Amino acid sequence: MVVLKDVTLCGITGNELVNYAGGVKSYVQAHVPFVERAIIHDTGSTDGTRDMLSSLTGLYPNLKVGDKPFENYGVARNGVLEEVTTRWALVLDMDERISPKDFETLAKVLKERSERLAFDFSFLDVFPNGSEHIGGGHNPRLFRADLGLRYIRPIFEILKPTSELEAWTVIHAGTGVEIKHYRGSYLEFKAKKRRNLELARAMV
């Protein structure tokens, strides 16, 4: 089994004991064994998510769990990044999954393209009826944590390039890895998108 050396998995959660991807326990089982470190911040769960995370730290000594009341998505992600001490950060959400084989691909990418500073992923939306559609999401998902990158925007957040990343588009590279994003029904997906757009407008 491959373990990504000098890589920290970064996640935030809120009431995701159960979700369409299998929930927080599934997230930890699917990803934490394949990275050197993992940091997950709970943003105020009331459904047992936080208790589940605490129980999992006993099984996964490389997992660190913290608490940060939710302000917005950018602040939540930055709170995790502030605790990263490895060279690389890998950002995955609770309703997203990559496979053990994908970690093998990432290990090869980091070895062969170590001069790059950030890596992009593609996305596949997976719906409860089994249908799959090409999706989208924020990139990069794997990037140099030691450059002090931080997210901007309270929602639909993106990383703000630092002075070291003047040629931001040049240092990006694809990984060949596809993130599966498990969503609700198409109607739920559209309703969530509408709510997020309304939230984004309210936060301006």
Side-chain angles (χ1 to χ4, degrees), residues 5-202:
K5 299 298 183 183
D6 220 9
V7 175
T8 297
L9 172 69
C10 302
I12 56 174
T13 186
N15 287 336
E16 293 189 85
L17 185 64
V18 177
N19 63 23
Y20 288 105
V24 65
K25 183 177 181 179
S26 166
Y27 175 90
V28 169
Q29 292 172 330
H31 302 138
V32 172
F34 301 95
V35 293
E36 183 174 311
R37 296 191 70 218
I39 300 173
I40 300 174
H41 280 186
D42 185 81
T43 60
S45 296
T46 58
D47 67 342
T49 294
R50 185 62 177 83
D51 292 337
M52 175 61 72
L53 283 171
S54 293
S55 68
L56 291 169
T57 58
L59 298 175
Y60 301 94
N62 60 327
L63 171 62
K64 179 181 179 181
V65 177
D67 298 280
K68 190 173 181 65
F70 185 78
E71 295 181 46
N72 61 59
Y73 291 102
V75 168
R77 294 192 192 283
N78 289 337
V80 177
L81 287 179
E82 288 167 4
E83 296 188 24
V84 175
T85 57
T86 55
R87 182 179 178 86
W88 297 93
L90 171 64
V91 176
L92 292 172
D93 290 341
M94 291 295 138
D95 55 3
E96 297 175 337
R97 297 290 184 273
I98 62 175
S99 72
K101 187 175 181 179
D102 292 327
F103 282 101
E104 294 178 7
T105 300
L106 293 178
K108 184 177 180 180
V109 166
L110 288 175
K111 181 179 180 180
E112 296 180 353
R113 311 187 77 175
S114 59
E115 79 284 356
R116 299 282 185 165
L117 303 180
F119 295 94
D120 292 342
F121 291 61
S122 57
F123 298 87
L124 185 70
D125 289 338
V126 182
F127 294 92
N129 64 3
S131 64
E132 299 180 347
H133 304 276
I134 294 174
H138 61 90
N139 266 312
R141 291 303 191 92
L142 178 62
F143 52 87
R144 283 274 298 276
D146 56 351
L147 296 178
L149 295 172
R150 292 294 181 268
Y151 285 94
I152 56 175
R153 298 181 186 172
I155 193 170
F156 304 125
E157 58 280 8
I158 59 173
L159 282 172
K160 180 181 180 181
T162 62
S163 57
E164 292 91 344
L165 299 177
E166 294 177 358
W168 185 243
T169 57
V170 177
I171 55 82
H172 271 250
T175 59
V177 171
E178 185 175 66
I179 293 174
K180 288 191 173 183
H181 187 179
Y182 291 83
R183 299 185 178 275
S185 68
Y186 185 71
L187 290 178
E188 289 177 291
F189 163 62
K190 295 293 285 187
K192 181 179 180 180
K193 185 176 181 180
R194 185 167 56 251
R195 289 194 301 271
N196 284 342
L197 287 170
E198 291 171 353
L199 180 60
R201 285 193 289 266

